Amino acid sequence: MVNKTKDSCSFKTSIGGQALIEGILMRGPFKQSMVCRKPDGEFAVQVDDLPDTKSKYPFLAWPFVRGGHMLISSMKNGMKAITWSAEFLPEEDQEEPSKFDLWLEKKLGSEKAEKAIMGFAMVLGVLLAVGLFFLLPAFLFELLPDSIGLIGRCILEGIIRIIIFMLYLWFATRMKEIKRLFAYHGAEHKSIFCYEAGLPLTVENVRKQSRFHPRCGTSFLVVVMIISIFVISFMTWVLSLFPAIEALPGIVSALIRMCCKLILLPFIVGITYEINRWVGRSDSRLAAIVAWPGKMTQHITTREPDDDMIEVAIEALTLVIPEEKGADRW
């Protein structure tokens, strides 16, 4: 069935992707590809075999554990891919290395320096995300008046978190480079939908597809925000049952609540991943309702791609489709 107005598919693949700088990363069950459009119009291509971590560490495939592993793995691979894609920018668009970068390269060598910078960037990105989307709303929670009730404060904290996230995305769209990144994001979704519909991967077929996919990382983050309202509300209610905590000085009890919220973050991610897995494979009305907020947010994080972007998406996707038909079934 051609996916023109609905998101139902004849086949659901586990292949997923990420937009890069003038390119796309696709991750299949066995291989990962990165394809970028160079300034001369040619493709830069890199294909890597994926390590079989599930066989080596079976617990990483356990429900509610695999979500955290997948998130960390995606962030790590995503940072490497973004760095790789930046190498193909025109020289005038590339940033000059800082004095710290040059010093680090001199001390560690170019390869180790690149890994160190990438590791630092990933840690910094995680800290900024946790601080902006979790610690800041948790701090604002402590400023809310007690008169609105415990559950009311938790719900308002969740709403504040979602507002901060949406404002962050909206401000990102003001940047020209991010607009192109979001267009490649749309090309990624469209190509996967075309593949799932069983249609030949041509520009014409891909162009007709929806750019709003239920398994998108944006949808994942939106569901994280929503699930956190329920989990954190329950945790806050449980803590309120212990008078000893409430009797502590205000700053101490507030720090305890904030630490508990951070500790719960991996659990929230694990729950969200399982929900996204179910939504990605289900055509039920309930799954459509759960997927709706994420798809609405994709109106911000995806844009309609041009044909050149679609060609990049088709190339990246083709490179990771397994030889055995159905091996990538979701």
Side-chain angles (χ1 to χ4, degrees), residues 196-283:
E196 289 180 323
L199 298 172
L201 289 172
T202 64
V203 172
E204 181 67 25
N205 286 337
V206 170
R207 194 189 301 120
K208 299 174 184 176
Q209 308 305 312
S210 168
R211 73 177 201 263
F212 310 120
H213 203 286
R215 287 190 293 104
C216 173
T218 304
S219 297
F220 177 83
L221 292 175
V222 171
V223 178
V224 164
M225 305 285 176
I226 295 171
I227 293 297
S228 69
I229 295 176
F230 296 97
V231 174
I232 290 175
S233 295
F234 179 75
M235 179 274 298
T236 307
W237 173 75
V238 170
L239 289 179
S240 70
L241 299 178
F242 294 88
I245 295 178
E246 297 301 319
L248 292 170
I251 185 66
V252 177
S253 60
L255 286 173
I256 290 174
R257 281 191 292 269
M258 292 176 74
C259 287
C260 288
K261 290 173 184 179
L262 281 178
I263 292 169
L264 283 172
L265 187 53
F267 179 64
I268 293 169
V269 168
I271 294 175
T272 303
Y273 181 77
E274 300 307 318
I275 292 174
N276 260 33
R277 278 182 66 89
W278 166 70
V279 168
R281 62 161 58 102
S282 175
D283 288 322

Coordinates of all heavy atoms in Angstrom, one line a residue, residues 196-283:
E196 N 9.6 0.4 3.4 CA 8.6 -0.3 4.2 C 7.4 -0.6 3.4 O 6.7 -1.6 3.6 CB 8.2 0.4 5.5 CG 9.4 0.4 6.5 CD 9.0 1.1 7.8 OE1 8.3 2.2 7.7 OE2 9.4 0.7 8.9
A197 N 7.0 0.3 2.5 CA 5.9 0.1 1.6 C 6.1 -0.9 0.5 O 5.2 -1.3 -0.3 CB 5.4 1.4 1.0
G198 N 7.4 -1.4 0.4 CA 7.7 -2.4 -0.7 C 7.8 -1.8 -2.0 O 7.8 -2.5 -3.0
L199 N 8.1 -0.4 -2.1 CA 8.2 0.2 -3.4 C 9.7 0.3 -3.8 O 10.6 0.4 -2.9 CB 7.6 1.6 -3.4 CG 6.1 1.7 -3.1 CD1 5.7 3.1 -2.9 CD2 5.3 1.1 -4.2
P200 N 10.0 0.3 -5.1 CA 11.4 0.6 -5.5 C 11.9 1.9 -5.0 O 11.1 2.9 -4.9 CB 11.3 0.6 -7.1 CG 10.0 -0.1 -7.4 CD 9.1 0.1 -6.2
L201 N 13.1 1.9 -4.6 CA 13.7 3.1 -4.0 C 14.1 4.1 -5.1 O 15.3 4.1 -5.5 CB 14.9 2.8 -3.1 CG 14.5 2.1 -1.8 CD1 15.8 1.6 -1.0 CD2 13.7 3.0 -0.9
T202 N 13.2 4.8 -5.6 CA 13.4 5.9 -6.6 C 13.1 7.2 -6.0 O 12.3 7.3 -5.0 CB 12.6 5.6 -7.9 OG1 11.2 5.8 -7.5 CG2 12.9 4.2 -8.4
V203 N 13.6 8.3 -6.6 CA 13.3 9.6 -6.1 C 11.8 9.9 -6.2 O 11.2 10.5 -5.2 CB 14.1 10.7 -6.9 CG1 13.6 12.1 -6.5 CG2 15.6 10.5 -6.7
E204 N 11.2 9.5 -7.3 CA 9.8 9.7 -7.4 C 8.9 9.0 -6.3 O 8.0 9.6 -5.8 CB 9.3 9.2 -8.8 CG 7.9 9.4 -9.1 CD 7.5 10.8 -9.3 OE1 8.4 11.7 -9.6 OE2 6.3 11.2 -9.1
N205 N 9.3 7.7 -6.0 CA 8.5 7.0 -5.0 C 8.8 7.6 -3.6 O 7.8 7.6 -2.8 CB 8.9 5.5 -5.1 CG 8.3 4.8 -6.2 OD1 7.3 5.2 -6.8 ND2 8.9 3.7 -6.6
V206 N 10.0 7.9 -3.3 CA 10.3 8.4 -2.0 C 9.7 9.8 -1.8 O 9.2 10.1 -0.7 CB 11.9 8.5 -1.8 CG1 12.2 9.3 -0.5 CG2 12.5 7.2 -1.8
R207 N 9.6 10.6 -2.8 CA 9.1 12.0 -2.7 C 7.6 11.9 -2.2 O 7.1 12.8 -1.5 CB 9.2 12.7 -4.0 CG 8.9 14.2 -3.9 CD 8.8 14.9 -5.2 NE 10.0 14.7 -6.0 CZ 10.0 14.1 -7.2 NH1 8.9 13.7 -7.7 NH2 11.1 14.0 -7.9
K208 N 6.9 10.9 -2.5 CA 5.4 10.8 -2.2 C 5.2 10.4 -0.7 O 4.1 10.5 -0.2 CB 4.8 9.7 -3.1 CG 4.8 10.0 -4.6 CD 4.3 8.8 -5.3 CE 4.4 9.0 -6.8 NZ 3.9 7.8 -7.6
Q209 N 6.2 9.9 0.0 CA 6.0 9.4 1.3 C 5.9 10.5 2.4 O 6.2 11.6 2.2 CB 7.2 8.5 1.7 CG 7.5 7.4 0.7 CD 6.3 6.5 0.3 OE1 5.6 6.0 1.2 NE2 6.0 6.3 -1.0
S210 N 5.4 10.1 3.5 CA 5.2 11.0 4.7 C 6.6 11.2 5.3 O 7.5 10.3 5.2 CB 4.3 10.3 5.7 OG 4.4 11.1 6.9
R211 N 6.8 12.4 5.8 CA 8.1 12.6 6.5 C 7.9 12.5 8.0 O 8.9 12.8 8.8 CB 8.6 14.0 6.2 CG 7.9 15.2 6.8 CD 8.6 16.5 6.4 NE 8.3 17.6 7.3 CZ 7.3 18.5 7.1 NH1 6.6 18.4 6.0 NH2 7.1 19.5 7.9
F212 N 6.8 12.0 8.5 CA 6.5 11.8 9.9 C 6.5 10.4 10.3 O 5.6 9.6 10.0 CB 5.2 12.5 10.3 CG 5.1 13.9 9.8 CD1 4.0 14.2 8.9 CD2 6.0 14.9 10.1 CE1 3.9 15.5 8.4 CE2 5.9 16.2 9.6 CZ 4.8 16.5 8.8
H213 N 7.6 9.9 10.9 CA 7.8 8.5 11.2 C 7.6 8.2 12.7 O 8.2 9.0 13.5 CB 9.1 8.0 10.8 CG 9.2 6.5 10.5 ND1 9.2 5.6 11.6 CD2 9.2 5.8 9.4 CE1 9.2 4.4 11.1 NE2 9.2 4.4 9.8
P214 N 6.9 7.2 13.1 CA 6.6 6.9 14.6 C 7.9 6.6 15.4 O 7.9 6.7 16.6 CB 5.6 5.8 14.6 CG 5.8 5.1 13.2 CD 6.2 6.2 12.3
R215 N 8.9 6.0 14.7 CA 10.1 5.6 15.4 C 11.2 6.7 15.5 O 12.4 6.4 15.8 CB 10.7 4.3 14.9 CG 9.8 3.1 15.2 CD 10.6 1.8 14.8 NE 10.7 1.7 13.3 CZ 11.9 1.9 12.7 NH1 12.9 2.3 13.3 NH2 11.9 1.7 11.4
C216 N 10.9 7.9 15.1 CA 11.8 9.0 15.1 C 12.4 9.3 16.5 O 11.7 9.2 17.5 CB 11.2 10.2 14.5 SG 12.2 11.7 14.5
G217 N 13.7 9.8 16.5 CA 14.3 10.2 17.7 C 13.5 11.3 18.4 O 13.5 11.4 19.6
T218 N 12.9 12.2 17.6 CA 12.1 13.3 18.1 C 11.0 12.7 18.9 O 10.7 13.2 20.0 CB 11.6 14.2 17.0 OG1 12.7 14.7 16.2 CG2 10.8 15.4 17.6
S219 N 10.3 11.7 18.3 CA 9.2 11.1 19.0 C 9.6 10.5 20.3 O 8.9 10.6 21.4 CB 8.5 10.1 18.1 OG 8.0 10.6 17.0
F220 N 10.8 9.9 20.3 CA 11.4 9.3 21.5 C 11.5 10.3 22.6 O 11.1 10.1 23.7 CB 12.7 8.6 21.1 CG 13.4 8.0 22.3 CD1 13.1 6.8 22.7 CD2 14.4 8.7 23.0 CE1 13.8 6.2 23.8 CE2 15.1 8.2 24.1 CZ 14.8 6.9 24.5
L221 N 12.1 11.5 22.3 CA 12.3 12.5 23.3 C 11.0 13.1 23.8 O 10.9 13.3 25.0 CB 13.2 13.6 22.7 CG 14.6 13.2 22.3 CD1 15.3 14.4 21.7 CD2 15.4 12.8 23.6
V222 N 10.0 13.2 22.9 CA 8.7 13.7 23.4 C 8.1 12.7 24.4 O 7.5 13.1 25.4 CB 7.8 14.0 22.2 CG1 6.4 14.3 22.7 CG2 8.3 15.1 21.3
V223 N 8.2 11.4 24.1 CA 7.6 10.4 25.0 C 8.4 10.4 26.3 O 7.8 10.2 27.3 CB 7.6 9.0 24.3 CG1 7.0 8.0 25.3 CG2 6.7 9.1 23.0
V224 N 9.7 10.6 26.2 CA 10.5 10.7 27.5 C 9.9 11.8 28.4 O 9.7 11.6 29.6 CB 12.0 11.0 27.2 CG1 12.7 11.5 28.4 CG2 12.6 9.7 26.7
M225 N 9.6 13.0 27.7 CA 9.0 14.1 28.5 C 7.7 13.7 29.1 O 7.4 14.0 30.3 CB 8.8 15.3 27.6 CG 10.0 15.8 26.8 SD 11.2 16.6 27.8 CE 12.5 16.9 26.6
I226 N 6.9 13.0 28.4 CA 5.5 12.7 28.9 C 5.6 11.6 30.0 O 5.0 11.7 31.1 CB 4.6 12.2 27.7 CG1 4.4 13.3 26.8 CG2 3.3 11.7 28.3 CD1 3.7 12.9 25.5
I227 N 6.4 10.6 29.7 CA 6.6 9.5 30.7 C 7.2 10.0 32.0 O 6.8 9.6 33.1 CB 7.5 8.4 30.2 CG1 6.7 7.7 29.0 CG2 7.8 7.3 31.2 CD1 5.5 7.0 29.4
S228 N 8.1 11.0 31.9 CA 8.7 11.5 33.1 C 7.7 12.2 34.0 O 7.9 12.2 35.2 CB 9.8 12.6 32.7 OG 9.2 13.7 32.1
I229 N 6.6 12.7 33.5 CA 5.6 13.3 34.3 C 5.0 12.3 35.3 O 4.9 12.5 36.5 CB 4.5 14.0 33.5 CG1 5.0 15.1 32.6 CG2 3.3 14.5 34.4 CD1 4.0 15.8 31.7
F230 N 4.7 11.1 34.7 CA 4.1 10.1 35.5 C 5.1 9.5 36.5 O 4.8 9.3 37.7 CB 3.5 9.0 34.6 CG 2.4 9.4 33.7 CD1 2.6 9.8 32.4 CD2 1.1 9.5 34.2 CE1 1.6 10.2 31.6 CE2 0.0 9.9 33.4 CZ 0.3 10.3 32.1
V231 N 6.3 9.2 36.0 CA 7.3 8.5 36.9 C 7.7 9.5 38.0 O 7.8 9.1 39.2 CB 8.5 8.1 36.1 CG1 9.6 7.5 37.0 CG2 8.1 7.0 35.1
I232 N 8.0 10.7 37.7 CA 8.5 11.7 38.7 C 7.4 12.0 39.7 O 7.6 12.2 40.8 CB 9.1 12.9 38.0 CG1 10.4 12.5 37.3 CG2 9.3 14.0 39.0 CD1 11.0 13.7 36.5
S233 N 6.1 12.1 39.2 CA 5.0 12.3 40.1 C 4.9 11.2 41.1 O 4.7 11.5 42.3 CB 3.7 12.4 39.3 OG 3.7 13.6 38.4
F234 N 5.0 10.0 40.7 CA 4.9 8.9 41.6 C 6.1 8.9 42.6 O 5.9 8.7 43.8 CB 5.0 7.5 40.8 CG 4.9 6.3 41.7 CD1 3.7 5.9 42.3 CD2 6.0 5.5 41.9 CE1 3.7 4.8 43.1 CE2 6.0 4.4 42.7 CZ 4.8 4.1 43.3
M235 N 7.3 9.2 42.1 CA 8.5 9.3 43.0 C 8.3 10.4 44.0 O 8.6 10.2 45.2 CB 9.7 9.5 42.1 CG 11.1 9.6 42.9 SD 11.4 11.3 43.5 CE 11.6 12.2 42.0
T236 N 7.8 11.5 43.6 CA 7.7 12.7 44.5 C 6.6 12.3 45.6 O 6.8 12.7 46.7 CB 7.2 13.9 43.7 OG1 8.2 14.1 42.6 CG2 7.2 15.1 44.6
W237 N 5.6 11.6 45.1 CA 4.5 11.2 46.1 C 5.1 10.2 47.1 O 4.9 10.3 48.3 CB 3.4 10.6 45.4 CG 2.3 10.0 46.3 CD1 1.4 10.6 47.0 CD2 2.2 8.6 46.6 NE1 0.7 9.8 47.8 CE2 1.1 8.5 47.5 CE3 2.8 7.4 46.2 CZ2 0.7 7.3 48.0 CZ3 2.4 6.2 46.7 CH2 1.3 6.1 47.6
V238 N 5.9 9.3 46.7 CA 6.6 8.3 47.6 C 7.5 9.1 48.6 O 7.5 8.8 49.8 CB 7.4 7.3 46.8 CG1 8.2 6.4 47.7 CG2 6.4 6.4 46.0
L239 N 8.3 10.0 48.1 CA 9.1 10.7 49.0 C 8.3 11.5 50.0 O 8.8 11.7 51.2 CB 10.0 11.7 48.2 CG 11.2 11.1 47.4 CD1 11.9 12.1 46.6 CD2 12.1 10.2 48.2
S240 N 7.2 12.0 49.7 CA 6.3 12.8 50.6 C 5.8 11.9 51.7 O 5.4 12.5 52.8 CB 5.1 13.4 49.8 OG 4.2 12.4 49.5
L241 N 5.9 10.6 51.6 CA 5.4 9.7 52.7 C 6.5 9.5 53.8 O 6.2 8.9 54.8 CB 5.1 8.3 52.1 CG 4.0 8.2 51.0 CD1 3.9 6.8 50.5 CD2 2.7 8.8 51.5
F242 N 7.7 10.1 53.6 CA 8.7 10.0 54.6 C 8.9 11.4 55.2 O 9.5 12.3 54.7 CB 10.0 9.6 53.9 CG 10.0 8.2 53.4 CD1 9.6 8.0 52.1 CD2 10.4 7.1 54.1 CE1 9.6 6.7 51.5 CE2 10.4 5.8 53.6 CZ 10.0 5.6 52.3
P243 N 8.3 11.5 56.4 CA 8.4 12.8 57.1 C 9.8 13.3 57.4 O 10.0 14.5 57.4 CB 7.6 12.5 58.5 CG 6.8 11.3 58.2 CD 7.5 10.5 57.2
A244 N 10.7 12.3 57.6 CA 12.1 12.7 57.9 C 12.7 13.5 56.7 O 13.5 14.5 57.0 CB 12.9 11.4 58.1
I245 N 12.3 13.2 55.5 CA 12.9 14.0 54.3 C 12.3 15.4 54.3 O 13.0 16.4 54.1 CB 12.6 13.2 53.0 CG1 13.3 11.9 53.0 CG2 12.9 14.1 51.8 CD1 13.1 11.1 51.8
E246 N 10.9 15.4 54.6 CA 10.3 16.7 54.5 C 10.7 17.6 55.7 O 10.6 18.8 55.6 CB 8.7 16.5 54.6 CG 8.1 15.8 53.4 CD 8.4 16.5 52.1 OE1 8.3 17.7 52.1 OE2 8.7 15.8 51.1
A247 N 11.2 17.0 56.8 CA 11.6 17.8 57.9 C 13.0 18.4 57.7 O 13.5 19.2 58.5 CB 11.6 16.9 59.2
L248 N 13.8 17.9 56.7 CA 15.1 18.4 56.5 C 15.0 19.9 56.0 O 14.0 20.3 55.5 CB 15.8 17.6 55.4 CG 16.1 16.1 55.8 CD1 16.6 15.4 54.5 CD2 17.2 16.1 56.8
P249 N 16.1 20.6 56.1 CA 16.1 22.0 55.5 C 15.7 22.0 54.1 O 16.0 21.0 53.3 CB 17.6 22.4 55.7 CG 18.1 21.6 56.9 CD 17.4 20.3 56.8
G250 N 15.0 23.0 53.7 CA 14.5 23.1 52.3 C 15.4 22.8 51.2 O 15.1 22.0 50.3
I251 N 16.6 23.3 51.3 CA 17.6 23.1 50.2 C 18.1 21.6 50.2 O 18.3 21.1 49.1 CB 18.9 24.0 50.4 CG1 19.9 23.9 49.3 CG2 19.5 23.7 51.8 CD1 19.3 24.3 48.0
V252 N 18.1 21.0 51.3 CA 18.5 19.6 51.4 C 17.5 18.6 50.8 O 17.8 17.8 50.0 CB 18.8 19.1 52.9 CG1 19.2 17.6 52.9 CG2 20.0 20.0 53.4
S253 N 16.2 18.8 51.2 CA 15.1 18.0 50.6 C 15.0 18.3 49.1 O 14.7 17.3 48.4 CB 13.8 18.3 51.4 OG 13.4 19.7 51.2
A254 N 15.2 19.5 48.7 CA 15.1 19.8 47.3 C 16.2 19.1 46.5 O 16.0 18.5 45.4 CB 15.3 21.3 47.0
L255 N 17.5 19.0 47.1 CA 18.6 18.3 46.4 C 18.3 16.8 46.4 O 18.6 16.1 45.4 CB 19.9 18.6 47.2 CG 20.5 20.0 47.0 CD1 21.7 20.2 47.9 CD2 20.9 20.1 45.5
I256 N 17.7 16.3 47.4 CA 17.3 14.8 47.4 C 16.3 14.5 46.3 O 16.5 13.6 45.6 CB 16.7 14.4 48.8 CG1 17.8 14.5 49.9 CG2 16.1 13.0 48.7 CD1 17.3 14.2 51.3
R257 N 15.3 15.4 46.1 CA 14.3 15.2 45.1 C 15.0 15.3 43.7 O 14.7 14.5 42.8 CB 13.2 16.2 45.2 CG 12.2 15.9 46.3 CD 10.9 16.7 46.2 NE 11.2 18.1 46.5 CZ 11.1 18.6 47.8 NH1 10.7 17.8 48.8 NH2 11.4 19.9 48.0
M258 N 15.9 16.2 43.5 CA 16.5 16.4 42.2 C 17.4 15.2 41.9 O 17.5 14.7 40.8 CB 17.3 17.7 42.2 CG 16.5 19.0 42.2 SD 17.4 20.5 42.3 CE 18.0 20.6 40.7
C259 N 18.1 14.7 42.9 CA 19.0 13.5 42.7 C 18.2 12.3 42.4 O 18.6 11.5 41.5 CB 19.8 13.3 44.0 SG 21.2 14.5 44.3
C260 N 17.1 12.1 43.0 CA 16.2 11.0 42.7 C 15.7 11.1 41.3 O 15.5 10.1 40.6 CB 15.0 11.0 43.7 SG 15.5 10.5 45.4
K261 N 15.4 12.3 40.8 CA 14.9 12.5 39.4 C 16.0 12.1 38.5 O 15.7 11.5 37.4 CB 14.4 13.9 39.2 CG 13.2 14.3 40.0 CD 12.8 15.7 39.9 CE 11.6 16.1 40.7 NZ 11.2 17.5 40.7
L262 N 17.2 12.4 38.8 CA 18.3 12.0 37.9 C 18.5 10.5 37.9 O 18.8 9.9 36.8 CB 19.6 12.7 38.3 CG 19.8 14.2 37.9 CD1 21.1 14.7 38.5 CD2 19.8 14.3 36.4
I263 N 18.4 9.9 39.1 CA 18.6 8.5 39.2 C 17.5 7.7 38.3 O 17.8 6.7 37.8 CB 18.5 8.0 40.6 CG1 19.8 8.5 41.4 CG2 18.4 6.5 40.8 CD1 19.7 8.4 42.9
L264 N 16.3 8.3 38.3 CA 15.2 7.7 37.6 C 15.3 7.9 36.0 O 14.6 7.2 35.3 CB 13.9 8.3 38.0 CG 13.3 7.8 39.4 CD1 12.1 8.6 39.8 CD2 13.0 6.3 39.3
L265 N 16.2 8.7 35.6 CA 16.3 9.0 34.1 C 16.6 7.8 33.3 O 15.9 7.6 32.3 CB 17.4 10.1 33.9 CG 17.5 10.6 32.5 CD1 16.2 11.1 31.9 CD2 18.5 11.7 32.4
P266 N 17.5 6.9 33.7 CA 17.7 5.7 32.9 C 16.5 4.8 32.8 O 16.2 4.2 31.8 CB 18.9 4.9 33.6 CG 19.6 6.0 34.3 CD 18.5 7.0 34.7
F267 N 15.7 4.8 33.9 CA 14.5 4.0 34.0 C 13.4 4.6 33.0 O 12.7 3.8 32.3 CB 14.0 4.0 35.4 CG 12.7 3.2 35.6 CD1 12.6 1.9 35.4 CD2 11.5 3.9 36.0 CE1 11.4 1.2 35.6 CE2 10.3 3.2 36.2 CZ 10.3 1.8 36.0
I268 N 13.3 5.9 33.0 CA 12.4 6.6 32.1 C 12.8 6.3 30.7 O 11.9 6.0 29.8 CB 12.4 8.1 32.4 CG1 11.8 8.4 33.8 CG2 11.6 8.9 31.4 CD1 12.0 9.8 34.3
V269 N 14.1 6.4 30.4 CA 14.5 6.1 29.0 C 14.2 4.6 28.6 O 13.8 4.4 27.5 CB 16.1 6.3 28.9 CG1 16.6 5.8 27.6 CG2 16.4 7.8 29.0
G270 N 14.4 3.7 29.5 CA 14.1 2.3 29.3 C 12.6 2.1 29.0 O 12.3 1.4 28.0
I271 N 11.7 2.7 29.8 CA 10.3 2.6 29.5 C 9.9 3.2 28.2 O 9.2 2.6 27.4 CB 9.5 3.3 30.6 CG1 9.7 2.6 32.0 CG2 8.0 3.4 30.3 CD1 9.0 3.3 33.1
T272 N 10.5 4.3 27.9 CA 10.2 5.0 26.6 C 10.6 4.2 25.4 O 9.9 4.1 24.4 CB 10.9 6.4 26.6 OG1 10.5 7.2 27.7 CG2 10.5 7.2 25.3
Y273 N 11.7 3.6 25.5 CA 12.2 2.8 24.4 C 11.3 1.6 24.1 O 11.0 1.3 22.9 CB 13.6 2.2 24.7 CG 14.2 1.4 23.5 CD1 14.7 2.0 22.4 CD2 14.2 0.0 23.6 CE1 15.2 1.3 21.3 CE2 14.7 -0.7 22.6 CZ 15.2 -0.1 21.4 OH 15.7 -0.9 20.4
E274 N 10.8 1.0 25.1 CA 9.8 -0.1 24.9 C 8.5 0.4 24.3 O 7.9 -0.3 23.5 CB 9.6 -0.8 26.3 CG 10.8 -1.4 26.9 CD 11.6 -2.4 26.0 OE1 11.0 -3.2 25.3 OE2 12.8 -2.3 26.0
I275 N 8.1 1.5 24.7 CA 6.9 2.1 24.2 C 7.1 2.4 22.7 O 6.2 2.1 21.8 CB 6.4 3.4 24.9 CG1 6.0 3.0 26.4 CG2 5.3 4.1 24.2 CD1 5.7 4.2 27.2
N276 N 8.3 3.0 22.4 CA 8.5 3.3 21.0 C 8.7 2.1 20.1 O 8.3 2.1 18.9 CB 9.8 4.2 20.9 CG 9.5 5.6 20.7 OD1 8.5 6.1 21.2 ND2 10.4 6.3 20.0
R277 N 9.2 1.0 20.7 CA 9.3 -0.3 19.9 C 7.9 -0.7 19.6 O 7.6 -1.2 18.5 CB 10.0 -1.3 20.8 CG 11.5 -1.2 20.7 CD 12.1 -2.4 21.5 NE 11.8 -3.7 20.9 CZ 12.6 -4.3 20.0 NH1 13.6 -3.7 19.5 NH2 12.2 -5.5 19.6
W278 N 7.0 -0.7 20.6 CA 5.6 -1.1 20.4 C 4.9 -0.2 19.3 O 4.2 -0.7 18.4 CB 4.9 -1.1 21.7 CG 3.4 -1.3 21.5 CD1 2.7 -2.4 21.1 CD2 2.4 -0.2 21.7 NE1 1.3 -2.1 21.0 CE2 1.1 -0.8 21.4 CE3 2.5 1.1 22.2 CZ2 -0.1 -0.1 21.5 CZ3 1.3 1.8 22.3 CH2 0.1 1.2 22.0
V279 N 5.0 1.1 19.5 CA 4.4 2.0 18.6 C 4.9 1.8 17.2 O 4.1 1.9 16.2 CB 4.6 3.5 19.0 CG1 4.2 4.5 17.9 CG2 3.9 3.8 20.3
G280 N 6.2 1.5 17.0 CA 6.8 1.4 15.7 C 6.3 0.1 15.0 O 6.4 0.1 13.7
R281 N 5.8 -0.9 15.7 CA 5.4 -2.1 15.0 C 3.8 -2.3 15.0 O 3.3 -3.2 14.4 CB 6.0 -3.3 15.6 CG 5.7 -3.5 17.1 CD 6.0 -5.0 17.5 NE 7.4 -5.3 17.3 CZ 8.3 -5.4 18.2 NH1 8.0 -5.1 19.5 NH2 9.5 -5.7 17.9
S282 N 3.1 -1.4 15.7 CA 1.7 -1.5 15.8 C 0.9 -0.6 15.0 O 1.3 0.6 14.8 CB 1.3 -1.3 17.3 OG -0.1 -1.4 17.4
D283 N -0.2 -1.0 14.4 CA -1.1 -0.2 13.6 C -2.4 0.1 14.4 O -3.3 0.6 13.8 CB -1.4 -0.8 12.3 CG -0.2 -0.8 11.3 OD1 0.5 0.2 11.3 OD2 0.0 -1.8 10.6

